[in-house]
Amino acid sequence: MTKNFFKQMKYIFTTFFLTLSYLSIAQSPKATHNFDFDWKFLLQDITEAKNANFDDSNWQEVQLPHDWSIKQPVSKENAGKGWMAGAMGYLPGGIGWYRKGFQLPKSDEGKKVVIQFDGVYHQSDVYINGEHLGFHPYGYTTFEYDLTPYLNYGGENTIAVRVDHSDAPSSRWYSGSGIYRHVWLKVTDPVHVATWGTYITTPEISEKEAQVNIATTIENSSQSPVEVLVENQIIDKQGKKVAVEKSKLQVGASKQETLQQSLMLKDPQLWSIKAPNLYAMETTVKVNGKAVDQYKSTFGVREIRFDADKGFFLNGENIKMKGMNLHPDAGSLGTAVPDRSYLRRLQILKEYGVNAIRCSHNPPTSEFLDMCDSLGFVVIDEAFDKWKGGYYAKYFDEWWQGDMDAMVLRDRNHPSIVLWSIGNETGEQFDTTGEGTERAIMLRDYVYDLDPSRLVTAGLRPDQERRHNANGFAQSLDVVGYNYQEPWLKDEKRQFSDRIMYVSEAFCYYRNRKNKFRAFDPVNPWYDVANNDFVFGQFLWPGVDYMGESKRWPSMGRVNGLFDVCMFEKPAAAFHRSVWNDEPMVRIAVADQSLDIDPGKPHWSWPFLADHWNFPQYKGRIILVQTTTNCDSVELVLNDKSLGFRNTSDYSNNTIVWHVPYNEGRIVARGYKAGREVTNYELKTAGEPAQILLSADRTQIAADGQDLSHIAIRIVDKKGIVVPDADRTITVEVLGLGNGRLLGLDNGDLRDSFTPNSIQTYFGKALLTVQSGRSKGAIQVIVKSERLPDAILQITTE
């Protein structure tokens, strides 16, 4: 990591938190109350729990986001049927109830009060004071209900939510169970900007100015028509107002109307991957000269273009997407992932060299997209996995349109989003009746109606018969995503010269062959992207290990990512770092198939690699050592004795292979460019465990009840070298009543079930996640292990 990178991160962090401040106003201009705290929960189905006077005093107290499945025992009895056996990571679903009591002041009477759920998995029913508000089946989209007619102002109110995940496993991966995203209570004037009621585009951009169009939808929930004055002004990152436009609009009683305006922005600062500049659009709504609403929306000024021959262009610059598919879970946190955890993940991936994210296979949180905006990622936002397949099949006809609205209307102002994906490996791509292609066109055209500024894609499953071409399914897409189909890309291009294409899912290590899907060809699939201009990018499957979709007991997930669930970088990640990152680098890995590693699914895996130098069993024997680099050549040095220089170009995959007689000590790889050493990397033999080393990403966190500190735990010898071959059981205590709590404990090995405060290290490491309370003060973290001194770290909440 360079100083320039950290300077960029400092700028990005500042921009991100500015974005969050914009968002908090944008979600509810009059008053937005975070509704995550002080809920009661019971994992049981009790119909009477919907009633306001129901006694929930013995229920568990929980804080949202909440995933009840991740806290349940792992058991083979929880396996699904057939190929869905490990879809939920051998964790159960069930039916659960949530309840929360709250009060609203008398002064709120006459206003509109709405509750917004960012995500509930799944099949939820919501009640207010015993009245049923509605049912929402899909677990990955935001929805809201109007509470206004049912509230007791100045008195007690009770919201109750029934969540039905009795059909687990339902998704093909770990979905979690419960209210696993934020909840908001929004209080507005009857005349206000509608939910997701601004749509901002920048159709004309030059160096001197940019045309910024905004469509503002005003909702009048009163019983009388009104004339409103809508003022939109653009604010730059310094807080300066740089453009303004005012217009009047007539809105009928209980109606919505949309106003179209255009503003000219002088000397625009463009949004890009390297410089993700953001603006805020501040919308003020006035009635009879009085401001009744204010709403802020974040946006960026950028031009995106896709070319069938040259790929993707951002602001005129031709860019290869270096992407990862990401699922929403985070190890022991399940799917109830706090915002700070996502931010840490994205920061690590940004430094690694990733510039693109495919949200597989569902819309992410809006906060996640805010982070992508601020950090400088381009994003494919995906609505569905299957359409008429899986659990959503019975809901598709009635709900697809509303769920598509929830994704596109919520997310269309994000500059990071460059494509809308309508599905992944749907059965319709194989349909021969024409019905499947008609369905794809229906979804595509509906997205056009909501946002004509972006193209539409979907991910296609490998099919040697190429039925997606014969039935017109692929032709219905603006951009075609190919999952694991690199050997066919040139053929597809010859047949469809105007097709825009990319690799929507790619193996991290092996490549296919035409005559053998799982051919274990060791030439990395990245070269199919790098060497062909018409392929604009690649999205690795998976980028990060994730829960569920396990292929063998007792593993709880898919473990073939380049990062484990702790976000510790694996030795196999060296290749993509070498081709995705311009910073000179070299890494050392030892190939050893006797290593205790979860193999995962074979073709998504790679030969076992270790990034340590503790192999006493091989003393005096030849071992295989790899040095992966983006340098011209590498010198390998063992115990101060040079083993020679080798040119990277003489080997495949930027990986030089050495056969080395093992001896303990120190092995160093030195990378050279133009004959000059520009980087190096070393491994040292570790001695016996001597101490526990704690390293926190942040020792000062906000006392907001949601912020996090991620603490890496390492078992080290007396010299501070991680001991990889003497793993220990560690026990964690978090002290500081009200100031914080132990949220999660991981070691990166998904064969180990999660326990509340104890875990065994894996290759000498583990990760502890601490969450702040809502009181200022100190959190003391104590980590213990037999025959080692206790390690103590203090975190401050402020």
Side-chain angles (χ1 to χ4, degrees), residues 370-494:
D370 290 328
M371 297 171 201
C372 291
D373 291 342
S374 297
L375 290 166
F377 290 95
V378 293
V379 174
I380 299 176
D381 201 353
E382 192 156 81
F384 308 111
D385 182 28
K386 310 300 182 188
W387 301 335
K388 289 280 193 168
Y391 90 88
Y392 196 66
K394 62 183 177 182
Y395 297 119
F396 180 86
D397 289 334
E398 181 181 355
W399 287 92
W400 72 265
Q401 187 169 325
D403 287 325
M404 194 67 81
D405 285 344
M407 179 183 77
V408 179
L409 295 180
R410 186 196 72 170
D411 297 346
R412 60 188 178 177
N413 289 335
H414 288 281
S416 57
I417 296 175
V418 295
L419 286 170
W420 299 115
S421 175
I422 55 176
N424 174 72
E425 294 187 353
T426 66
E428 284 83 350
Q429 78 171 78
F430 307 110
D431 176 70
T432 57
T433 67
E435 183 179 334
T437 299
E438 289 176 3
R439 190 167 296 134
I441 293 171
M442 174 185 73
L443 290 163
R444 180 203 67 191
D445 288 350
Y446 191 73
V447 172
Y448 288 165
D449 289 342
L450 299 176
D451 177 27
S453 73
R454 295 176 178 90
L455 301 181
V456 174
T457 186
L460 303 186
R461 187 175 180 176
D463 178 20
Q464 290 195 0
E465 298 177 36
R466 320 311 286 166
R467 283 170 286 182
H468 54 259
N469 292 328
N471 62 16
F473 187 93
Q475 292 91 313
S476 72
L477 303 170
D478 301 316
V479 180
V480 180
Y482 292 90
N483 293 357
Y484 317 109
Q485 298 177 65
E486 291 86 354
W488 290 275
L489 294 179
K490 289 184 178 179
D491 291 345
E492 295 274 299
K493 182 63 177 175
R494 279 190 289 267

Side-chain angles (χ1 to χ4, degrees), residues 664-683:
E664 65 182 25
R666 174 173 173 262
I667 188 167
V668 181
R670 296 182 176 132
Y672 290 81
K673 284 193 174 185
R676 183 174 65 89
E677 182 180 343
V678 292
T679 188
N680 59 72
Y681 188 81
E682 68 178 29
L683 300 175

Side-chain angles (χ1 to χ4, degrees), residues 6 36 58 84 126 147 226 256 267 276 292 365 434 523 585 614 661 713 727 750:
F6 285 111
D36 289 348
N58 293 324
M84 288 280 284
V126 180
L147 306 183
V226 294
Q256 288 188 353
D267 303 317
V292 296
T365 68
V523 177
M585 58 78 63
N614 272 46
I713 302 170
D727 285 314
L750 288 179

